[in-house]
Amino acid sequence: LIKVIAMMATRTTKSALSSSSNSPISSRWAHSVNSRARLEEALVNRTTTVEAIECDVVLLDGLGPILAHPPCWDSDLTVQDLLDRVYHTGSYNKPMELKLDFKELAAVQPTLDKLVALLMTHKDNDYNFNWTLNADILPGPGFDRDDGTGTTVVPATEFLETCLAFVSNLNEKISCTRIASTVSVSLSLGYKCKYDHPEGYLPRDVQAMTELLQRYSSFDDVHIVLALNARVLAKTIPIGLFDDFLQTFSASILAWTGTGEPPIPQSIVDDIQKHFQDDTGHLLRDDAIEFDCNILAS
């Protein structure tokens, strides 16, 4: 059966890499692959530096799901174009992860339908399908929960239920059909926030995510990774605000910086990571904290 793993949301072009075996990040991503030119660039580098492709997904009347980041709602690359190109290019013995960052709920189901069709088309091929479905599903710092600005997130209940139904559908097809390919479906769950907001994450943010996930028994055996903005996390008092959540759900954190956000000092990464390290500088748990940050050059 397919195991749904809520994984990291990666958003920048330069990662905070560790020189030790306790490296806080392991994948190299091609970000904002929302055009044919960006896709070709990523595919050229797939055998060397690029292990995953991240795209932003919206729905365009007449074309279906396309790759674009609002406020831009136009693109020369559709989701179907992306799938056709990625899975008809090069060698498949090295998995290429696709992270689909949904910017609106309307784009989710049409995209998932295409993933199911792709799997059935290539059911006799020994492919590695590795798909991450991402959305900011809760309002965070800078998006007040009571003044209506929270509506800028992808509706959490609908997103989760649509994705879980998709996984159930895949499991059913795999159990009834001989599938040669390996399939991995991941969920990436984040808060919509403003990196320059004066406050860090608050207890109500933890409570909202906790109450949301507790509704779904399907998450009992799932690895959850929260995508938290590194700057906002550094402002959070205490920085261990999410510790109980991480323990309850056997979860991890991905600390990120976003497109257009200024680079952060290495000291911010170090201060956050120290909270998750023992006295020898090793992570208390290998997957406790990961980083995908644009670091200020020293």
Side-chain angles (χ1 to χ4, degrees):
L1 296 182
I2 298 172
K3 185 177 181 182
V4 183
I5 306 173
M7 297 185 68
M8 69 181 99
T10 49
R11 310 189 182 206
T12 60
T13 56
K14 180 182 177 183
S15 300
L17 297 176
S18 169
S19 58
S20 71
S21 59
N22 256 11
S23 174
I25 194 164
S26 59
S27 294
R28 297 189 179 190
W29 291 75
H31 294 272
S32 301
V33 181
N34 297 330
S35 68
R36 291 179 181 271
R38 286 284 293 149
L39 177 58
E40 293 307 314
E41 179 184 351
L43 293 177
V44 165
N45 294 318
R46 72 181 298 170
T47 59
T48 54
T49 58
V50 174
E51 300 175 10
I53 292 175
E54 183 256 353
C55 316
D56 303 295
V57 188
V58 298
L59 189 68
L60 186 64
D61 290 342
L63 282 180
I66 67 169
L67 305 181
H69 192 299
C72 176
W73 294 85
D74 192 17
S75 176
D76 63 354
L77 187 62
T78 67
V79 167
Q80 189 62 60
D81 294 335
L82 171 75
L83 299 179
D84 289 344
R85 190 74 181 94
V86 168
Y87 294 106
H88 289 81
T89 301
S91 171
Y92 299 97
N93 57 8
K94 179 182 179 182
M96 170 65 76
E97 180 173 350
L98 285 183
K99 188 184 116 192
L100 302 170
D101 188 353
F102 294 100
K103 298 304 182 184
E104 58 176 344
L105 182 64
V108 178
Q109 188 62 61
T111 299
L112 301 185
D113 290 344
K114 292 183 182 299
L115 295 181
V116 173
L118 176 73
L119 175 63
M120 300 312 295
T121 298
H122 297 290
K123 61 184 178 64
D124 296 325
N125 298 328
D126 186 16
Y127 286 1
N128 289 292
F129 293 112
N130 191 347
W131 303 323
T132 296
L133 313 175
N134 176 79
D136 290 336
I137 60 173
L138 290 177
F143 290 85
D144 195 284
R145 297 77 170 163
D146 301 319
D147 68 359
T149 56
T151 58
T152 56
V153 302
V154 175
T157 299
E158 291 88 340
F159 178 75
L160 291 173
E161 292 182 355
T162 300
C163 291
L164 291 174
F166 163 69
V167 171
S168 178
N169 184 25
L170 283 183
N171 280 332
E172 182 178 352
K173 289 185 179 298
I174 289 173
S175 65
C176 297
T177 309
R178 182 180 177 183
I179 303 291
S181 297
T182 300
V183 183
S184 174
V185 178
S186 307
L187 295 180
S188 172
L189 309 176
Y191 297 89
K192 189 173 184 67
C193 67
K194 294 180 179 179
Y195 70 84
D196 56 354
H197 192 70
E199 289 184 326
Y201 294 100
L202 300 174
R204 61 182 177 181
D205 297 318
V206 183
Q207 180 181 358
M209 188 67 79
T210 300
E211 292 177 351
L212 174 65
L213 297 187
Q214 285 176 337
R215 300 177 196 168
Y216 300 94
S217 60
S218 304
F219 286 111
D220 289 346
D221 299 320
V222 171
H223 181 203
I224 305 295
V225 175
L226 289 177
L228 303 177
N229 180 270
R231 269 192 174 85
V232 179
L233 180 58
K235 301 172 190 173
T236 301
I237 301 175
I239 199 170
L241 181 66
F242 288 92
D243 284 0
D244 288 344
F245 178 93
L246 300 184
Q247 183 174 358
T248 299
F249 294 100
S250 299
S252 305
I253 286 176
L254 174 83
W256 54 269
T257 56
T259 302
E261 179 179 348
I264 63 172
Q266 180 66 44
S267 59
I268 289 182
V269 173
D270 294 341
D271 289 344
I272 294 173
Q273 189 164 349
K274 284 178 184 177
H275 177 75
F276 300 94
Q277 292 176 332
D278 59 23
D279 293 338
T280 66
H282 288 81
L283 292 176
L284 296 172
R285 204 180 74 214
D286 287 345
D287 61 350
I289 181 75
E290 296 182 273
F291 293 87
D292 188 13
C293 297
N294 192 6
I295 306 298
L296 186 66
S298 56

